[in-house]
Amino acid sequence: MMIAMIAGAIWGGVAPATAQSALTVAPLVSLAEHRVDAGFGVERSLGPVVGGVGTLRFGPRLAVAVRALGGSLFGSKGVLDRDVGELGVEGSMVAGPWLSLQAGVARRAYATRVARQTWTTVAAGAAARVAFAGGAIHGVGRAALLPVVSVPGLPDPGVAFRAAAGLEYRIRGTTLGVEYSLERYDFPIEGGVRRLEQLTALTLLLRLRPQ
Amino acid sequence: MRRLVWAAALVVGVAPALAAQGSTGELLAQAHQFYERLDVERALPLLRQIVSPNWPFEVTPDQRVDAYKYLGACLALAGKRDSAVLYFRAAIERDPFTELDPSLFTPAQLATFDEARHRTLAVAVRSVKPARVDPRTARVTFTVVATHAALVDVKLVAVGAASPLVLFQGTMDGVREIAWDGLLANRRLAPPGRYTLAVVGRSRVSGAADSARVYFDVRHEVAALEDTVPDLDQHQLLPEWISPEAARRDVAKGVGVAAAALLIAGAANGSLHGSERGGADVVAATAAVTGVVAFLVHRRHGAIPENVAANARHRAQRDSANAGVRARNADRIAATVLLVSPAAGEGTGP
């Protein structure tokens, strides 16, 4: 059975703190690449991910975003195709004119025709937004540590972080974003094997304000 | 003991003054009683005592006028018309508002009194009584008198002001009430201050002239007015133009975002043979181009339409708020109530 709705999570984050509307919705599309080395060489898969982020603002400083993403990653030669999906919730609090603090939890699933793996992650980090002159364009940078990464059958990774950089273009009530993001997980050596995983994505996002 | 001495001195000092007023009043009352019993021969000496320069006790202006009036009335009853006219004139000169009540005096006395008024020109205005007047619904009333037919000018002028407001100009005979709507010649509400009401009369009988004036203060009673919203200063407005420095900084910001994307791509694990760098390259190129384009656009067209519009909205809100404040203040000013009170002399006003 094809699990269409479950795909890899690539892009995360809440809407910018400067958004004016209480509620924004942002459909997105990503080109994601997943690399994993579990002791059998590097397995690489690449594919599209689609989804959306809904953000609800509570006053000028606080926002909560819920995201749902899914897609299929197609394996390179000899690598199984996999579906990936993610559901996540993230809170954001404005800490300054250009800085906001973010924390969230996400549940991600990878599924191949032979196995299924579920990840639970907790992230804590910050997002910086730099306005270009005029304020219609913003440069966005994000960084977060993932102190909790729970994967059945695997130990906690020693290194787990997420980073992203991109741009947002505001045209009237709509914001178009483009972002490059990377997640990296370095698990400790176990049985002489060190498992490494990495997810990168190029994401296009369109943030809309419902009337 | 010392207190007792002081008390005695006080009693000794005050007693004569009280006795003086009492003496004049008592004597006048006694004269009235004689007059009402038509005992003119006994009333006349008492009245003459009161108006005599040798009368040792204090006589108030009203008492003196009353004494002259009853002297005239007594002499008229006694058939001494010329003397009666003389005393009536003395009463009229001291108080042009003096009248004889037709129900208390005979037609002969009234006729004699009229002759006295005919021979004497005096104009007067009653002192202004304290009043609270809403100019929209009420008037300030002045009472003036001319003892016989005269051309009378009644003018109101603020102390120190040049142009008077003519309240009345014409022939007058007797008492007349003149209403003032609280406005000056420029049709604006009289501002707070001291005012003079001047009456000038010229007899149409003898050509004689007389004048009188009273002073009064005008104050405004108005609900507290609201302050308007102050002008917007630079700190309250958004910049409407992008400075050349800000435009140049856009290039640096674009480069910064590009560098961040490439740096993140560089953080990919080497054991995984790096990462797919295409995405990072796309973002980096986009950021660099964005910075350069923003710099070029802003250098040529530095206006920030959003800020211009936001400032315009801000100014419009302020203007709207001020218009409301002005309208409310205008309503309150329109409801100003005049507080009128008598004053002495020109002074400086309240």
Side-chain angles (χ1 to χ4, degrees):
Chain A
M1 185 178 97
M2 293 295 291
I3 306 174
M5 290 295 296
I6 301 177
I10 297 160
W11 192 89
V14 299
T18 52
Q20 299 296 311
S21 177
L23 174 66
T24 59
V25 292
L28 62 85
V29 59
S30 298
L31 181 63
E33 185 204 40
H34 183 226
R35 294 190 184 199
V36 56
D37 183 354
F40 310 105
V42 177
E43 296 179 4
R44 180 171 173 265
S45 54
L46 181 72
V49 174
V50 295
V53 181
T55 303
L56 189 61
R57 297 188 56 78
F58 301 93
R61 296 173 63 86
L62 200 63
V64 173
V66 177
R67 67 178 180 274
L69 310 163
S72 294
L73 306 180
F74 303 101
S76 56
K77 190 175 181 181
V79 176
L80 290 174
D81 296 343
R82 64 199 63 194
D83 295 329
V84 61
E86 183 178 278
L87 283 172
V89 177
E90 190 169 65
S92 176
M93 188 184 75
V94 174
W98 55 272
L99 183 69
S100 59
L101 304 177
Q102 298 178 330
V105 59
R107 182 101 166 147
R108 177 183 299 167
Y110 293 100
T112 67
R113 58 186 165 84
V114 296
R116 175 192 172 101
Q117 190 179 53
T118 304
W119 294 49
T120 303
T121 58
V122 174
R129 291 169 51 82
V130 182
F132 284 59
I137 304 173
H138 282 82
V140 182
R142 261 188 275 273
L145 295 174
L146 291 86
V148 176
V149 178
S150 174
V151 186
L154 292 177
D156 292 344
V159 175
F161 67 87
R162 179 191 301 149
L167 291 159
E168 290 180 351
Y169 303 86
R170 193 173 73 238
I171 304 164
R172 294 191 173 88
T174 304
T175 302
L176 175 67
V178 55
E179 187 176 78
Y180 174 74
S181 63
L182 178 144
E183 286 181 27
R184 180 175 152 180
Y185 304 89
D186 293 0
F187 290 88
I189 297 172
E190 203 173 57
V193 175
R194 181 182 180 88
R195 183 184 178 94
L196 304 171
E197 290 215 23
Q198 182 174 283
L199 190 66
T200 58
L202 173 65
T203 302
L204 283 175
L205 171 147
L206 192 66
R207 184 174 295 116
L208 306 167
R209 288 186 296 180
Q211 295 299 315
Chain B
M1 185 63 187
R2 182 176 290 180
R3 285 183 184 172
L4 194 61
V5 171
W6 277 111
L10 191 64
V11 168
V12 169
V14 169
L18 294 173
Q21 285 195 6
S23 299
T24 303
E26 287 169 10
L27 203 64
L28 200 54
Q30 200 174 353
H32 283 184
Q33 289 171 1
F34 286 134
Y35 171 80
E36 285 162 10
R37 293 201 297 263
L38 299 178
D39 193 352
V40 175
E41 295 305 322
R42 295 179 72 179
L44 278 171
L46 300 181
L47 295 168
R48 284 192 175 110
Q49 277 184 47
I50 293 171
V51 300
S52 166
N54 297 325
W55 178 246
F57 302 112
E58 183 184 345
V59 183
T60 66
D62 287 346
Q63 287 173 330
R64 190 174 296 280
V65 168
D66 197 58
Y68 277 124
K69 187 170 79 173
Y70 274 87
L71 272 170
C74 290
L75 291 168
L77 278 181
K80 296 177 181 176
R81 184 179 175 87
D82 289 345
S83 297
V85 168
L86 200 64
Y87 282 115
F88 277 143
R89 290 187 67 181
I92 292 167
E93 285 167 356
R94 281 165 177 77
D95 180 9
F97 285 99
T98 303
E99 296 265 2
L100 290 190
D101 186 344
S103 64
L104 299 178
F105 295 91
T106 66
Q109 287 171 317
L110 296 173
T112 308
F113 186 79
D114 282 346
E115 185 179 340
R117 287 180 58 156
H118 194 71
R119 290 190 192 178
T120 308
L121 175 72
V123 293
V125 54
R126 282 218 167 92
S127 61
V128 178
K129 291 178 181 170
R132 184 177 180 278
V133 177
D134 184 345
R136 296 173 299 174
T137 56
R139 297 288 181 266
V140 181
T141 303
F142 303 106
T143 305
V144 298
V145 66
T147 51
H148 63 250
L151 286 171
V152 175
D153 280 352
V154 180
K155 292 178 180 173
L156 184 144
V157 61
V159 170
S163 56
L165 171 68
V166 177
L167 289 181
F168 178 81
Q169 196 165 42
T171 301
M172 223 177 83
D173 185 359
V175 176
R176 186 182 190 105
E177 288 196 333
I178 295 172
W180 177 45
D181 57 8
L183 306 181
L184 295 183
N186 56 9
R187 305 314 298 161
R188 298 174 91 75
L189 197 64
R194 182 153 296 178
Y195 290 81
T196 305
L197 185 74
V199 182
V200 177
R202 179 171 293 280
S203 170
R204 299 195 69 169
V205 177
S206 64
D210 190 26
S211 65
R213 64 179 55 208
V214 293
Y215 297 93
F216 62 96
D217 289 332
V218 169
R219 286 178 293 140
H220 285 180
E221 183 181 275
V222 57
L225 301 181
E226 295 177 53
D227 283 340
T228 53
V229 181
D231 289 340
L232 300 171
D233 59 27
Q234 282 304 110
H235 300 294
Q236 295 170 295
L237 295 172
L238 299 171
E240 296 184 354
W241 293 89
I242 294 167
S243 66
E245 294 77 17
R248 278 194 289 274
R249 279 198 295 271
D250 283 351
V251 176
K253 289 172 184 171
V255 170
V257 173
L262 296 175
L263 195 65
I264 290 168
N269 198 306
S271 300
L272 295 172
H273 312 303
S275 67
E276 174 57 56
R277 291 187 58 92
D281 293 343
V282 168
V283 171
T286 304
V289 170
T290 297
V292 172
V293 171
F295 165 72
L296 294 174
V297 170
H298 290 150
R299 200 176 61 167
R300 289 190 63 183
H301 311 286
I304 310 173
E306 291 178 347
N307 288 3
V308 172
N311 287 343
R313 281 196 303 273
H314 203 168
R315 290 189 184 97
Q317 286 171 354
R318 173 188 168 277
D319 293 344
S320 173
N322 279 346
V325 169
R326 288 193 191 94
R328 289 191 293 276
N329 285 348
D331 289 344
R332 290 172 188 174
I333 289 170
T336 298
V337 170
L338 296 182
L339 300 177
V340 179
S341 58
E346 300 209 339
T348 55

